[in-house]
Amino acid sequence: MLGECIENLRRRCPLVHNITNVVAINDVANVVLACGARPIMSDEPCDIQEITSICDGLNINIGMLKKYTAESMLLAGKKQKELGRPRVLDPVGVGASSFRKETVFNLIREVGFTAIRGNISEIKTLSMGTGNTTGVDADLADQITEENLDQIIPFIKAFSGKVGAVIAVTGSIDLVCNKEVCYVIRNGRAEMGKITGTGCMLSGMLASYLAANPGNELEAAAAAVCTMGLAGEIAWSRMQEGDGNASYRTKIIDAIYNMDGETLNKGANYELR
Amino acid sequence: MLGECIENLRRRCPLVHNITNVVAINDVANVVLACGARPIMSDEPCDIQEITSICDGLNINIGMLKKYTAESMLLAGKKQKELGRPRVLDPVGVGASSFRKETVFNLIREVGFTAIRGNISEIKTLSMGTGNTTGVDADLADQITEENLDQIIPFIKAFSGKVGAVIAVTGSIDLVCNKEVCYVIRNGRAEMGKITGTGCMLSGMLASYLAANPGNELEAAAAAVCTMGLAGEIAWSRMQEGDGNASYRTKIIDAIYNMDGETLNKGANYELR
Amino acid sequence: MLGECIENLRRRCPLVHNITNVVAINDVANVVLACGARPIMSDEPCDIQEITSICDGLNINIGMLKKYTAESMLLAGKKQKELGRPRVLDPVGVGASSFRKETVFNLIREVGFTAIRGNISEIKTLSMGTGNTTGVDADLADQITEENLDQIIPFIKAFSGKVGAVIAVTGSIDLVCNKEVCYVIRNGRAEMGKITGTGCMLSGMLASYLAANPGNELEAAAAAVCTMGLAGEIAWSRMQEGDGNASYRTKIIDAIYNMDGETLNKGANYELR
């Protein structure tokens, strides 16, 4: 059950290293704390390997990629690979520039990831850049809908098999896949897209769940994605007259803070395919 | 009417590039989302031209100017000039160092701006550095009041004509001028000054309004300034016992999120001079 | 009385320069505003001395130390020392890498600090690195409790005497010491540890209190620490069903915003040893 994953997280309190963008960095740290882990956010190359060594997991987010952070990501990623600890990649806006694409393709080759989380466009960009250029990708819509699920799921499973990572694709419907099984998750609300960094927050939480649930990657990733979506629903039910995206952000983090295994088990809305 | 400007913004959802300071970067992104646009915050020189090319407008803010961001600002600004898209300058604390002054004077020469937003001290510093050193500036008080309006307005209009940009001067009274017309705006509250980055948020919103209202720069800028001030009033009316500047920040962003053309038309408090 | 310290702060509105980490930078700026001071957050080496010169105090925080910020910290610290203005050090996670340790030891030597604020582990790391390696430190637990107070207080006093700074050690019990007197403070709540950057916010506030209370360093530091703890208690009393760490953060800053001398005098819970 997914609820056990958050219970493990709250009991184990892993230390999670996030090399993330400065837009969402404060929210990511607060979400990592809210779900039960402890955040470290350092991104300086000169001591990044020393710092990442004391951490139980790593979250790499390219939202505001810079030359020095690209260097830090590679160094930290390699060290965590060597130590056998979970590594999450969030390829924010990877399609926006060559520098982003090259950095991410290189990270996938050199580091390898336990899980990759992005929207469908980002995952398609990764898939093309890593050689999987069947006709399918080009045809894929940039939105996951009930209508195109049958087409998208096998593509994500194949990409998962190819890169050896759990793939979490978030959108109006969320998919969490390894090469064989896909969680199709229908939690969350469209209004979450009006808050900056909800994806980045989820990636920090995903690394936290993975760090606390070794050997149970697929379920841990699905639990993280359901936690975020469910928190979005709970937070929305607490919105009051005059509230907007800023209050919604606060209430989502609060809902994660108050999440427990029972609430997650009851509220998680998914099917396996 | 100003209300149309926000209706256009909500309908067109422009992509707005912000090279801004890390203090306010999260609030700027959430305000850009709140008013109906979509934010990109990248500031790495090596791919800044590629990234800014896909954006409908650019907001440059020197609040925490660094050498590499000064380079990014120049590159992005030139590219957006070439593409003919709106460019906003927020010369935060420009008078605080030679590095800031030189960077900003150079940006004004090389990039040219559609609009410049600052407080009266910053605008005076720009005016002096760009050659307009009549006796007037030196005499100008560093606060706009009902008493000195008649002296300040012609100075701002002349500066607008000189640099070819709409000038938005914010303070206890806000002025939005081109070389001929000045909106004198009496929205907002003094307590907004107790929140970090309200000016930075407004500059992100200003770029959003300009991107969605091409050819209507003066009115779009006035609409952005009125939206911020009116949001400050609406948010204040929602403050409760024990609330302070942190709650006020949240409520201001929420009020922007809920702003529509009708509310703006009713609440905007301005005269033309 | 501690209350006078905040009254002085609200009356004098000092300008406080913070070279801090990007995780907490927005919260630090809002807390500095909330307590009555005005923040400047610049960290670019090339104009840092020019900028710090106009400020009444300096707060250095190594939470996300980078090479260029280490350079800025040294330059700004030396300038403020030369100008005789208060300098605060927050050695966040100093034990996590050699780069952090070397930077901090060098800052202590070259700059000297009016006050240093950290948790007991960080203060122990500083103490060892600056030569004070009596057997005591190694024996010190990494948590201040009623049981080990008698052992810790003399150690902190000795360290204060050695580095010539007021030492503020925060944890479940807070200690604010010079070489002779120790404020033992029992304000605050454990849940404050679930918010990222509460220590960083306190350091910004500490620099603000020092800047407004020259010649009264020990009491000013104790007042800052009590203000933070008391704000945590007031904020907690305002928490509602469903609130979590994000709401708590907002309410803490709000409580600082509303703090006055009378509230502080009534709520401060301390003894002198």
Side-chain angles (χ1 to χ4, degrees):
Chain A
M1 298 287 287
L2 302 186
E4 268 177 54
C5 295
I6 190 165
E7 302 293 349
N8 288 338
L9 180 44
R10 297 207 181 276
R11 197 173 51 249
R12 290 175 184 158
C13 303
L15 198 54
V16 177
H17 185 192
N18 301 274
I19 306 178
T20 190
N21 64 76
V22 293
V23 185
I25 194 167
N26 179 269
D27 289 333
V28 171
N30 274 324
V31 161
V32 167
L33 282 161
C35 73
R38 293 167 297 141
I40 285 190
M41 317 304 281
S42 182
D43 66 5
E44 163 59 40
C46 84
D47 62 352
I48 199 99
Q49 291 202 314
E50 205 175 341
I51 284 177
T52 210
S53 298
I54 58 168
C55 298
D56 304 300
L58 173 65
N59 167 33
I60 288 177
N61 174 306
I62 67 154
M64 276 185 68
L65 189 66
K66 301 179 209 298
K67 278 189 176 168
Y68 83 88
T69 56
E71 192 187 339
S72 297
M73 290 169 185
L74 189 60
L75 287 166
K78 281 178 164 179
K79 174 55 79 180
Q80 289 287 28
K81 182 189 188 184
E82 188 188 313
L83 295 168
R85 293 175 194 153
R87 306 169 296 286
V88 169
L89 174 67
D90 187 337
V92 185
V94 59
S97 80
S98 306
F99 170 55
R100 287 172 177 242
K101 274 182 276 203
E102 280 156 26
T103 301
V104 163
F105 297 154
N106 191 43
L107 284 169
I108 291 177
R109 270 193 310 273
E110 298 284 325
V111 173
F113 287 94
T114 316
I116 300 175
R117 191 214 66 81
N119 62 33
I120 186 67
S121 309
E122 290 155 357
I123 299 300
K124 280 170 60 183
T125 303
L126 295 194
S127 156
M128 288 183 283
T130 50
N132 183 356
T133 48
T134 70
V136 178
D137 341 4
D139 293 344
L140 282 180
D142 275 339
Q143 194 83 23
I144 302 175
T145 63
E146 299 293 348
E147 287 66 40
N148 63 19
L149 265 183
D150 284 344
Q151 192 189 12
I152 289 179
I153 290 172
F155 161 73
I156 304 293
K157 285 181 177 172
F159 180 60
S160 171
K162 190 164 161 301
V163 294
V166 169
I167 307 298
V169 193
T170 53
S172 50
I173 301 170
D174 301 322
L175 306 178
V176 179
C177 299
N178 63 16
K179 65 184 172 179
E180 287 159 354
V181 180
C182 183
Y183 283 78
V184 178
I185 299 171
R186 294 182 183 84
N187 285 113
R189 292 191 61 93
E191 292 87 352
M192 296 170 81
K194 286 292 195 175
I195 302 167
T196 195
T198 44
C200 310
M201 298 179 217
L202 173 50
S203 294
M205 192 151 63
L206 176 48
S208 305
Y209 273 81
L210 292 174
N213 292 279
N216 197 14
E217 286 75 17
L218 183 67
E219 202 178 30
V225 172
C226 286
T227 299
M228 192 71 196
L230 184 56
E233 295 171 21
I234 293 170
W236 190 260
S237 74
R238 298 183 65 232
M239 293 285 276
Q240 300 180 335
E241 181 74 25
D243 281 352
N245 62 335
S247 287
Y248 193 28
R249 182 255 305 267
T250 299
K251 289 180 204 290
I252 287 174
I253 301 177
D254 284 354
I256 295 168
Y257 183 86
N258 288 305
M259 190 70 66
D260 57 26
E262 198 187 328
T263 308
L264 183 57
N265 282 336
K266 273 193 203 158
N269 183 7
Y270 65 89
E271 54 168 327
L272 296 180
R273 287 226 200 158
Chain B
M1 295 288 286
L2 302 186
E4 268 177 54
C5 295
I6 189 165
E7 302 293 349
N8 288 338
L9 179 44
R10 296 206 181 277
R11 196 172 53 249
R12 290 174 182 158
C13 302
L15 198 54
V16 177
H17 184 193
N18 301 275
I19 305 179
T20 190
N21 63 75
V22 292
V23 185
I25 195 168
N26 179 270
D27 290 333
V28 172
N30 274 325
V31 161
V32 167
L33 283 161
C35 72
R38 292 168 298 141
I40 286 189
M41 317 304 282
S42 181
D43 66 4
E44 162 59 42
C46 85
D47 62 352
I48 200 98
Q49 292 202 314
E50 207 175 341
I51 285 177
T52 210
S53 298
I54 59 168
C55 298
D56 304 300
L58 173 65
N59 167 34
I60 288 178
N61 174 307
I62 67 154
M64 276 186 67
L65 188 66
K66 301 179 209 298
K67 278 188 176 168
Y68 84 88
T69 56
E71 192 187 339
S72 297
M73 289 168 186
L74 189 59
L75 288 166
K78 282 177 164 179
K79 174 55 80 179
Q80 289 287 27
K81 181 188 189 185
E82 188 188 314
L83 296 169
R85 293 176 193 152
R87 305 167 298 285
V88 169
L89 174 67
D90 186 337
V92 186
V94 60
S97 81
S98 306
F99 170 56
R100 287 173 176 240
K101 274 181 277 203
E102 280 157 25
T103 301
V104 164
F105 297 154
N106 191 43
L107 284 170
I108 292 177
R109 269 193 310 273
E110 298 285 324
V111 173
F113 288 93
T114 316
I116 299 175
R117 190 213 66 79
N119 62 34
I120 186 67
S121 309
E122 289 155 357
I123 299 301
K124 279 170 59 182
T125 303
L126 295 194
S127 155
M128 287 183 284
T130 50
N132 184 356
T133 47
T134 71
V136 178
D137 341 4
D139 294 343
L140 281 180
D142 274 339
Q143 194 83 23
I144 303 176
T145 63
E146 298 293 348
E147 288 65 41
N148 62 19
L149 266 183
D150 284 344
Q151 191 189 16
I152 289 179
I153 291 171
F155 161 73
I156 304 294
K157 284 181 177 173
F159 180 60
S160 170
K162 188 163 161 302
V163 293
V166 169
I167 306 298
V169 193
T170 53
S172 51
I173 301 171
D174 302 322
L175 306 177
V176 179
C177 299
N178 63 18
K179 64 183 172 180
E180 286 160 353
V181 181
C182 183
Y183 283 79
V184 178
I185 299 171
R186 294 182 183 84
N187 285 114
R189 292 191 60 93
E191 292 86 352
M192 297 170 80
K194 286 291 195 177
I195 302 167
T196 195
T198 44
C200 310
M201 298 179 217
L202 172 51
S203 294
M205 192 150 64
L206 176 49
S208 304
Y209 273 81
L210 292 174
N213 292 279
N216 197 15
E217 287 74 17
L218 183 67
E219 202 178 30
V225 172
C226 286
T227 299
M228 193 70 196
L230 183 56
E233 296 171 21
I234 293 169
W236 190 259
S237 74
R238 297 183 65 232
M239 293 284 277
Q240 299 179 336
E241 180 74 26
D243 282 352
N245 62 335
S247 286
Y248 193 29
R249 182 255 304 267
T250 300
K251 289 179 204 290
I252 288 174
I253 302 177
D254 284 355
I256 295 168
Y257 184 85
N258 289 306
M259 190 71 66
D260 57 26
E262 197 187 329
T263 308
L264 183 56
N265 281 336
K266 272 192 203 157
N269 183 7
Y270 65 90
E271 54 168 328
L272 295 180
R273 287 225 202 158
Chain C
M1 296 288 286
L2 302 187
E4 268 177 54
C5 295
I6 189 165
E7 302 292 350
N8 288 337
L9 179 44
R10 296 208 182 275
R11 196 171 53 247
R12 290 174 184 160
C13 302
L15 197 54
V16 176
H17 185 192
N18 301 274
I19 306 179
T20 189
N21 64 75
V22 293
V23 185
I25 194 167
N26 180 270
D27 290 333
V28 171
N30 274 325
V31 160
V32 167
L33 283 161
C35 72
R38 293 166 298 140
I40 286 189
M41 318 302 282
S42 182
D43 65 5
E44 163 59 42
C46 84
D47 62 353
I48 200 98
Q49 291 202 314
E50 206 175 341
I51 284 177
T52 209
S53 299
I54 59 167
C55 298
D56 305 300
L58 173 65
N59 167 33
I60 288 177
N61 174 307
I62 66 154
M64 276 185 68
L65 189 66
K66 301 179 209 301
K67 278 189 178 168
Y68 83 88
T69 56
E71 191 187 338
S72 296
M73 290 169 186
L74 189 60
L75 287 166
K78 281 178 164 178
K79 174 56 79 180
Q80 289 287 29
K81 181 189 188 183
E82 187 188 314
L83 295 169
R85 292 177 193 150
R87 306 168 297 285
V88 169
L89 174 68
D90 186 337
V92 186
V94 61
S97 81
S98 307
F99 170 56
R100 287 173 177 240
K101 273 181 277 203
E102 281 157 23
T103 301
V104 163
F105 297 154
N106 191 43
L107 284 169
I108 291 177
R109 269 193 311 271
E110 298 285 325
V111 173
F113 287 94
T114 316
I116 300 175
R117 191 213 65 81
N119 62 34
I120 186 67
S121 308
E122 289 155 357
I123 299 300
K124 279 169 60 182
T125 302
L126 295 193
S127 155
M128 288 182 284
T130 49
N132 184 355
T133 48
T134 71
V136 177
D137 342 4
D139 293 344
L140 282 180
D142 275 339
Q143 194 83 23
I144 303 176
T145 63
E146 298 293 349
E147 288 66 39
N148 62 19
L149 266 182
D150 284 343
Q151 191 188 15
I152 290 180
I153 291 172
F155 161 73
I156 304 293
K157 285 181 177 172
F159 180 59
S160 171
K162 188 165 161 302
V163 293
V166 169
I167 307 296
V169 193
T170 53
S172 51
I173 301 170
D174 302 322
L175 306 178
V176 178
C177 298
N178 63 17
K179 64 183 172 180
E180 287 159 355
V181 180
C182 182
Y183 283 77
V184 178
I185 300 171
R186 294 182 183 85
N187 285 113
R189 293 191 59 94
E191 291 87 352
M192 297 171 81
K194 286 291 195 177
I195 302 167
T196 195
T198 44
C200 310
M201 298 179 217
L202 172 50
S203 295
M205 192 150 65
L206 176 49
S208 305
Y209 273 82
L210 292 174
N213 292 280
N216 196 15
E217 286 74 17
L218 183 67
E219 202 178 31
V225 172
C226 286
T227 299
M228 192 71 195
L230 184 56
E233 296 171 21
I234 293 170
W236 190 259
S237 75
R238 298 183 65 234
M239 293 284 276
Q240 299 179 337
E241 180 74 26
D243 281 352
N245 62 336
S247 286
Y248 193 27
R249 182 254 306 264
T250 300
K251 289 179 203 291
I252 287 173
I253 302 177
D254 284 355
I256 295 168
Y257 183 86
N258 289 306
M259 190 71 66
D260 57 26
E262 197 187 329
T263 308
L264 183 56
N265 281 335
K266 272 193 202 157
N269 182 6
Y270 65 89
E271 55 168 325
L272 296 180
R273 287 227 202 156

